Amino acid sequence: METETNLSAEEIRSNLQCVEQRIAAASARAGRRPDDVTLVAVSKTKPAEDVAFALAAGQRHFGENYVQELNEKIRIFEERPEAEGVHWHMIGHLQRNKVKYLVGRVSLIHSVDTVALAEQIEKESAKKGVVTEILLEINVAGEESKWGFSMEEAKDAAGAVKALPHVRLIGLMTSAPYTEDPESNRGYFRALKALSDGLYAEGLIVPSGNGFRTPALSMGMTGDFEVAVEEGATMVRVGTAVFGARNYADQKVIQ
Ligand SMILES: *Cc1c(COP(=O)(O)O)cnc(C)c1O
């Protein structure tokens, strides 16, 4: 079992630097520019203090997978000058009745896995007079245990989202299978890139109004982010390699 590690400010700073360097090297191997890839530091289960350390090191994009924990962290950093320009990303499974707590507060919802959820985001966004940017979550490997549309369902789902005036589909997201061998996910990443390029060409994925590179492709975690970057990721979601191992038992907030 993994044990929780509480890293120092210096360790978090050096981890961020190391992950950015690995992103840059993977970008170079693929002939891409390193600033085409946004590092989303996944701070779930970690204390706000760790987020503060990352902010001090210049990190500006943070991912969380539980609505309540995300909102607590947003609240903590809301008025703090050192958090100027921070972007919060919802990356976990989202229930429709929680949508109202996120709309207007997060920069991007990565994990839209049903059309009904997109419709709920539409409803809340219209109420607040905002446009919410989203990704469709794709279950690339068809894993039973995972949320998301199948590759085949993606186009119809994107078409349905296109009809929602307060929801903007800017790309796709996946969590590839957990593996010891990141190479085994290369084919999935490549297939998702092809799918997103196709939907973009058809106008079903549209340019971001929040400055995100489009079509946005959110793929790659601690175990496989370099392969994901080589295959076209524009956002990688990295937790463990930045903040250390997580201990879910210590998590105070579950939903
Ligand atoms: C936890 C999580 C991550 C980060 O995982 P690590 O392996 O710690 O980098 C990325 N994406 C999602 C959706 C997650 O829930």
Side-chain angles (χ1 to χ4, degrees):
M1 200 183 119
E2 281 186 305
T3 47
E4 170 95 347
T5 50
N6 272 311
L7 301 189
S8 67
E10 194 39 50
E11 285 168 317
I12 288 174
R13 173 189 297 278
S14 99
N15 283 348
L16 283 165
Q17 210 167 38
C18 172
V19 170
E20 289 286 9
Q21 277 163 6
R22 288 167 63 189
I23 290 170
S27 301
R29 286 195 294 277
R32 304 183 60 207
R33 302 200 336 239
D35 60 355
D36 285 354
V37 183
T38 300
L39 169 59
V40 178
V42 178
S43 45
K44 65 185 185 198
T45 80
K46 295 295 180 177
E49 183 185 38
D50 288 16
V51 173
F53 292 156
L55 280 164
Q59 178 63 29
R60 282 298 176 271
H61 292 266
F62 294 90
E64 288 281 339
N65 66 341
Y66 291 109
V67 172
Q68 193 176 329
E69 186 179 356
L70 175 53
N71 270 316
E72 279 176 20
K73 284 177 179 148
I74 290 174
R75 205 175 310 124
I76 288 167
F77 290 101
E78 217 151 36
E79 301 292 323
R80 291 213 207 160
E82 68 267 32
E84 175 87 50
V86 70
H87 290 274
W88 295 99
H89 296 246
M90 175 60 184
I91 64 171
H93 178 63
L94 176 58
Q95 292 170 289
R96 277 185 286 167
N97 62 355
K98 302 273 166 65
V99 165
K100 57 178 173 285
Y101 304 116
L102 286 186
V103 165
R105 313 196 78 194
V106 296
S107 295
L108 186 62
I109 301 175
H110 293 229
S111 44
V112 175
D113 53 11
T114 62
V115 171
L117 177 60
E119 288 168 348
Q120 187 66 31
I121 297 170
E122 166 64 28
K123 201 170 136 190
E124 293 297 334
S125 302
K127 219 188 269 179
K128 294 198 167 104
V130 298
V131 172
T132 302
E133 301 206 336
I134 68 160
L135 307 178
L136 293 183
E137 180 169 356
I138 310 295
N139 184 354
V140 273
E143 291 172 278
E144 284 289 334
S145 59
K146 286 205 175 134
W147 304 100
F149 296 99
S150 68
M151 296 284 285
E152 295 71 31
E153 290 166 338
K155 187 174 171 174
D156 283 350
V161 172
K162 179 92 182 167
L164 306 174
H166 300 87
V167 179
R168 186 183 291 139
L169 177 63
I170 67 159
L172 303 178
M173 174 270 213
T174 199
S175 295
Y178 177 78
T179 173
E180 297 283 313
D181 172 22
E183 279 302 324
S184 66
N185 283 337
R186 186 178 294 276
Y188 294 126
F189 294 144
R190 192 170 292 178
L192 197 68
K193 161 85 171 140
L195 181 61
S196 98
D197 284 348
L199 296 175
Y200 191 59
E202 291 179 81
L204 294 171
I205 288 174
V206 297
S208 167
N210 287 345
F212 293 118
R213 191 162 302 279
T214 37
L217 208 44
S218 169
M219 58 187 194
M221 318 195 338
T222 290
D224 57 13
F225 71 89
E226 287 149 304
V227 174
V229 168
E230 287 170 9
E231 295 301 328
T234 70
M235 293 179 190
V236 293
R237 309 179 309 270
V238 180
T240 309
V242 172
F243 295 111
R246 290 178 293 272
N247 182 353
Y248 289 94
D250 278 356
Q251 188 176 28
K252 285 180 224 76
V253 177
I254 299 301
Q255 264 286 22

